[in-house]
Amino acid sequence: MATVVERERKYSGDEGFRLPDLTGRGGVATTSDATALDLDAVYWDTADLRLARSGYALRRRTGGHDAGWHLKVGAVGGARTEHQFPAGPEDADPPAELVAHFRGASRGRPVAPAARVVTRRRERRLLDAAGRTLAEVAEDDVRAEDLVGGERQTWHEIEVELVDGDEALLDAIDDRLRAAGARTVPVSKSHRALGGRLAATRPAPADPAAAPVVDYLTAQRDTLIGHHAGALGGDADAVHDMRVAVRRLRSTLRTFRGLWDRAESEGVRAELRWLGGQLGPVRDVQVMAARLADAVHAEPDELVLGPVPARFAARFAADLATSLDGLRAALGSDRYTDLLRRLDALVEGPTVRAVRPRWVSRRVRRAVTRFDDRLDRALADGGHDDTALHEARKAGKRARYAVEVRRPDAKLVDRLKDLQDALGAHQDSVVTREVLREQALRAYADGENTFTYGLLYARQAAVADRAGPALARARDRARRRKVRRWLKG
């Protein structure tokens, strides 16, 4: 299976729209002659269109240079990841390897043909002075049919996809196309084909007072599902983003408990904790491996005594393989898809109570106050209690996530993040020192020189010492009246 990152923009124009001359913009020197292509794609989805609703598009396409099964992940207009799998003439269903990548989006439910999109394409390459292809521009005459609802549509569309060009080129072409009368298209062909049924799946609006909480939960659920495929492949950024989404979901369900049935919301929180427990070891190993590799690299050669880099590489490779096996098993389990279905019921169903307009604000203030109290207690003895500082850090995350619900653009969000970073630097040094101590003991048992481990340990202790003053400064900035005034409203 091949995986590519697709960066494209889509446009439409009124009848009679003509593609303007695109040379002379963004380094484009010449344009190739048009190549005609006939593309026929059948899009697959669940009965309730969970793939499309989650930002996924699964199709089996014939025609073109990349015929076969395609799974696209991401929103139109940004970078989208496309997983490509060859299709045999007898294929009746998507291959199992591809199914694993959209299991989260489908919630484990079966998929079937949902729409057919037939495209007559005229494709041109935009070339620089050296003949390098910067982008491809396609003019598409599209016929689409909803294979379940029966709705048929036709339209004309322009696609601009980067090859060796950059975002500046897309911006330059965007200016030229808009000047010629083109308009940005915010959805994919499959979404447009399924537009009628997709509109019918939109959940009813939440109670206005609770809407910020529900919207925040919905965004985190979508982030979680959007990074499923990347996390399955062990992509570090995807694992990190998926783990953060889990934390935000757990924290929000805790801070705003009472909006939903308590037993069910607490049950979902418990399952989210389980999922976080599968993501955590993968992310922790990835971070620690990079941190110690950088630390060793920063030391002069004469201070790296013994096979220190090889020791680290061997340990972390084994740990990463084990933790990835655990994560993949979790993401392929019924427990995972059951969690997602229960989460859907919370964010898309009605809340069990209507709340007053200031109920959310009071909960946000309470989360911030609890963090203040926890941090003050942790610093009361000079900040020497590592466990207390770690607990304060977790309370700080809950406070920041609560503020994001109420005022995502508030300066307090940034100030709380600075506090988290300072607390995180201290906690990272604690964990890193423990890893170094374990590695030193293993090296000593094997008769190796342990000098470098001790040196790195001392460096990490110094990091913890420096974290104290930075933490105090960050705390004072986060408590300034001007960044908290709105909390009283």
Side-chain angles (χ1 to χ4, degrees):
M1 182 171 64
T3 300
V4 298
V5 176
E6 176 186 82
R7 293 175 295 166
E8 68 177 16
R9 298 185 189 179
K10 294 176 178 288
Y11 302 86
S12 66
D14 294 329
E15 186 175 352
F17 173 84
R18 293 291 180 268
L19 190 70
D21 180 13
L22 298 176
T23 58
R25 303 300 293 266
V28 177
T30 59
T31 303
S32 73
D33 293 335
T35 300
L37 299 170
D38 289 308
L39 310 175
D40 191 341
V42 174
Y43 287 84
W44 291 53
D45 212 323
T46 61
D48 57 354
L49 303 180
R50 277 292 172 187
L51 294 188
R53 293 160 66 185
S54 299
Y56 283 63
L58 171 67
R59 72 187 179 197
R60 189 184 190 283
R61 191 170 77 179
T62 58
H65 56 81
D66 59 352
W69 290 98
H70 302 158
L71 177 67
K72 293 189 177 187
V73 183
V76 171
R80 305 178 78 194
T81 301
E82 181 175 315
H83 306 278
Q84 302 173 347
F85 201 92
E90 304 301 322
D91 284 356
D93 296 296
E97 185 177 350
L98 206 55
V99 172
H101 281 68
F102 63 77
R103 181 176 172 81
S106 69
R107 306 332 190 241
R109 294 188 174 100
V111 294
R116 183 183 181 193
V117 176
V118 178
T119 303
R120 176 65 174 176
R121 170 167 291 182
R122 295 181 301 281
E123 188 174 84
R124 294 176 174 85
R125 291 175 292 121
L126 304 184
L127 311 172
D128 65 10
R132 187 172 54 123
T133 301
L134 301 178
E136 293 177 342
V137 178
E139 294 183 90
D140 293 342
D141 290 316
V142 184
R143 292 184 291 111
E145 179 184 3
D146 183 330
L147 296 177
V148 175
E151 181 182 3
R152 297 175 183 237
Q153 304 177 61
T154 61
W155 67 87
H156 184 72
E157 185 172 290
I158 302 99
E159 287 188 5
V160 183
E161 182 175 353
L162 287 181
V163 180
D164 289 330
D166 55 20
E167 291 294 325
L169 171 62
L170 285 180
D171 290 339
I173 295 174
D174 180 85
D175 291 341
R176 184 67 61 87
L177 290 175
R178 287 177 180 274
R183 299 181 302 275
T184 300
V185 174
V187 296
S188 65
K189 290 181 176 67
S190 58
H191 271 65
R192 191 162 177 175
L194 295 167
R197 280 201 290 148
L198 281 171
T201 66
R202 295 192 185 108
D207 175 75
V213 181
V214 175
D215 290 346
Y216 188 81
L217 279 178
T218 301
Q220 301 313 313
R221 178 206 58 182
D222 293 347
T223 297
L224 175 71
I225 294 166
H227 289 290
H228 169 99
L232 192 68
D235 177 79
D237 290 337
V239 172
H240 170 72
D241 290 344
M242 198 173 185
R243 186 187 191 188
V244 171
V246 167
R247 286 173 173 167
R248 284 186 163 115
L249 287 164
R250 289 185 60 221
S251 178
T252 304
L253 289 172
R254 171 178 173 168
T255 299
F256 301 99
R257 58 169 54 125
L259 280 178
W260 303 273
D261 174 78
R262 177 66 65 90
E264 180 59 14
S265 65
E266 288 301 297
V268 171
R269 283 190 70 237
E271 289 301 277
L272 285 166
R273 182 172 185 172
W274 161 77
L275 180 58
Q278 311 305 311
L279 291 158
V282 178
R283 180 60 182 165
D284 290 343
V285 170
Q286 291 171 332
V287 170
M288 187 62 68
R291 178 180 299 131
L292 289 179
D294 290 344
V296 173
H297 182 73
E299 298 295 337
D301 290 344
E302 62 270 20
L303 297 183
V304 181
L305 307 182
V308 178
R311 277 273 189 179
F312 285 145
R315 170 180 175 167
F316 294 130
D319 289 350
L320 182 58
T322 299
S323 59
L324 270 175
D325 284 345
L327 175 59
R328 287 168 179 149
L331 296 181
S333 69
D334 291 340
R335 183 176 182 178
Y336 170 65
T337 51
D338 181 61
L339 161 61
L340 295 178
R341 294 177 190 178
R342 293 173 69 183
L343 187 57
D344 289 337
L346 287 183
V347 301
E348 295 176 3
T351 55
V352 298
R353 59 178 291 188
V355 296
R356 295 180 178 180
R358 295 191 177 185
W359 184 86
V360 170
S361 297
R362 288 199 301 270
R363 293 287 175 136
V364 174
R365 283 199 305 273
R366 186 182 303 175
V368 174
T369 299
R370 285 176 174 171
F371 172 46
D372 290 343
D373 293 343
R374 186 68 60 88
L375 181 59
D376 288 344
R377 289 199 301 270
L379 296 176
D381 65 347
H384 300 300
D385 186 335
D386 294 338
T387 300
L389 286 171
H390 184 48
E391 291 301 316
R393 182 191 182 199
K394 291 192 288 186
K397 289 181 179 179
R398 289 193 291 269
R400 178 162 71 92
Y401 301 153
V403 172
E404 287 176 348
V405 168
R406 183 70 179 82
R407 289 277 297 273
D409 58 344
K411 188 171 288 292
L412 183 56
V413 172
D414 295 330
R415 298 293 171 83
L416 291 174
K417 186 178 186 303
D418 292 341
L419 256 176
Q420 279 184 359
D421 290 343
L423 288 164
H426 180 275
Q427 178 63 16
D428 290 345
S429 77
V430 171
V431 176
T432 304
R433 278 179 278 162
E434 182 58 29
V435 171
L436 288 166
R437 179 179 176 276
E438 293 174 1
Q439 287 296 108
L441 290 173
R442 294 179 185 180
Y444 179 79
D446 290 341
E448 297 173 5
N449 192 311
T450 60
F451 169 84
T452 302
Y453 299 107
L455 175 64
L456 296 176
Y457 189 101
R459 305 277 197 226
Q460 289 298 317
V463 169
D465 291 340
R466 292 193 298 272
L471 177 57
R473 290 192 298 271
R475 177 192 59 185
D476 293 342
R477 294 181 71 228
R479 293 187 181 181
R480 290 176 182 170
R481 185 176 301 175
K482 65 180 181 180
V483 301
R484 293 194 175 201
R485 189 179 297 117
W486 64 271
L487 282 172
K488 298 179 181 179

